[in-house]
Amino acid sequence: MAGIKALRKVGLGLESTSTPGTLVEASTWWRGTGTIQDNMETVFVEEDIGNYGGSNLSYIAKYGGEITLEQDANFTQVLYPLLAGVQGEVAGVADTAAGTGYSYTFTMPTTAQGVFATYTIEGGDDAGAETMSYCFVPNFSISGAAGEALQLSATFRGQQVITGTFSDTATLPTVEPILFSNGAIWIDPDTDAIGTTPKSNTLLGMTLDVNTGLTEVYAANATKKFAFVKRVKPVITLSITFEHDATSIAEKAAWRANSARVLRLKFIGSAMATPGALLTNFLQIDLAGKWETFDKIGEQNGNDIVTGVFNAGYSSTAALYAQFIAAIDALATVP
């Protein structure tokens, strides 16, 4: 039977850190969209053989594949690009106050390449499935605007795409969307503790772009698959659209003064079933760095706005580059 879009699905299974690239069965279904692209490279040999049609002499130079997973971001599955792009082997920490929440902290490496998780990804529809292993995240983005859910887009890149089958044990997780309007922003000089000064009624939109620095390396290994993955320099930028007000005017002045800043974004969800030190689900993004650019004054429905781009960079004063913290009710392990 021919496949249809309504019956597409994507499954993810966490691979062992000791054997990345070894296929595992998916344990969970992605609450969003995505289809697998096979990037196998076929080379057709150029020849002078006295024939308009040439020949069918060709070879497979290398294997590879990728999938861009997109969704209205939720507190549970935002963990996947963080594990496979920022820091792997992160375990949930139970609320020390005997509440039901668990926190997950992901810190971007600064002096070493760090560890990262890899996934096996299954994708397709009711006509058939494909499978890709050794999937890591070279880049992801989180964006949002008032009145909407945050949007998550993450590229997973893998060693090879093969015909496969869907998991018969994966489950569909219960998730909670992350709403932009439940967010807040704090901005301070890097000499102050991050999260000191809230900036109210000024955050109108944002786009966080994270190039994790993870990149595949091909070597002579007789498989035509990439041999390993290493981390080169990450690049993290945050575009913020502000109300044109005292906050944006002050931050524009900080840009002109080349002043180092620490910035926190925090998006709150529903209350924990049993609150403790952790009161609600939340996603928190902490960055150190400096403003790179500010646009001229623009407008949105007749309202004056201004957009600045924040370039994250390590601050020895704040001992911070980039950190992500998620708190989720009753999520003892990542599904």
Side-chain angles (χ1 to χ4, degrees), residues 259-289:
S259 298
R261 315 294 274 169
V262 286
L263 185 152
R264 170 171 289 171
L265 288 164
K266 190 171 184 178
F267 301 92
I268 302 298
S270 59
M272 300 293 180
T274 303
L278 300 172
L279 301 178
T280 68
N281 292 338
F282 68 77
L283 173 65
Q284 178 175 302
I285 302 166
D286 290 343
L287 301 174

Side-chain angles (χ1 to χ4, degrees), residues 198-326:
K199 305 294 183 179
S200 301
N201 298 322
T202 190
L203 177 63
L204 303 181
M206 52 82 68
T207 299
L208 174 73
D209 288 312
V210 180
N211 180 328
T212 66
L214 293 177
T215 186
E216 70 274 35
V217 178
Y218 286 87
N221 61 2
T223 69
K224 295 179 250 187
K225 304 174 186 178
F226 62 73
F228 55 89
V229 176
K230 66 190 306 182
R231 194 187 301 273
V232 296
K233 180 177 173 59
V235 177
I236 302 174
T237 59
L238 176 65
S239 174
I240 293 284
T241 298
F242 292 100
E243 180 79 3
H244 188 240
D245 59 6
T247 293
S248 58
I249 291 170
E251 292 313 305
K252 207 168 185 178
W255 164 58
R256 290 182 174 130
N258 196 33
S259 298
R261 315 294 274 169
V262 286
L263 185 152
R264 170 171 289 171
L265 288 164
K266 190 171 184 178
F267 301 92
I268 302 298
S270 59
M272 300 293 180
T274 303
L278 300 172
L279 301 178
T280 68
N281 292 338
F282 68 77
L283 173 65
Q284 178 175 302
I285 302 166
D286 290 343
L287 301 174
K290 294 181 177 180
W291 294 107
E292 180 179 341
T293 62
F294 265 92
D295 291 345
K296 66 180 182 179
I297 296 173
E299 66 91 17
Q300 187 177 81
N301 299 323
N303 182 43
D304 277 352
I305 61 173
V306 64
T307 298
V309 175
F310 189 80
N311 193 317
Y314 181 75
S315 166
S316 57
T317 302
L320 174 68
Y321 173 26
Q323 183 170 263
F324 305 81
I325 302 174

Side-chain angles (χ1 to χ4, degrees), residues 30 69-71 73 77-78 81 140-142 150-154:
W30 177 249
L69 296 180
E70 297 179 322
Q71 66 172 205
Q77 295 192 321
V78 74
F140 67 91
S141 67
I142 300 172
L150 290 188
Q151 299 299 303
L152 171 64
S153 177

Side-chain angles (χ1 to χ4, degrees), residues 41-47 55-59:
E41 185 176 311
T42 303
V43 176
F44 289 87
V45 178
E46 184 175 350
E47 302 175 283
S55 76
N56 62 358
L57 179 61
S58 65
Y59 59 89

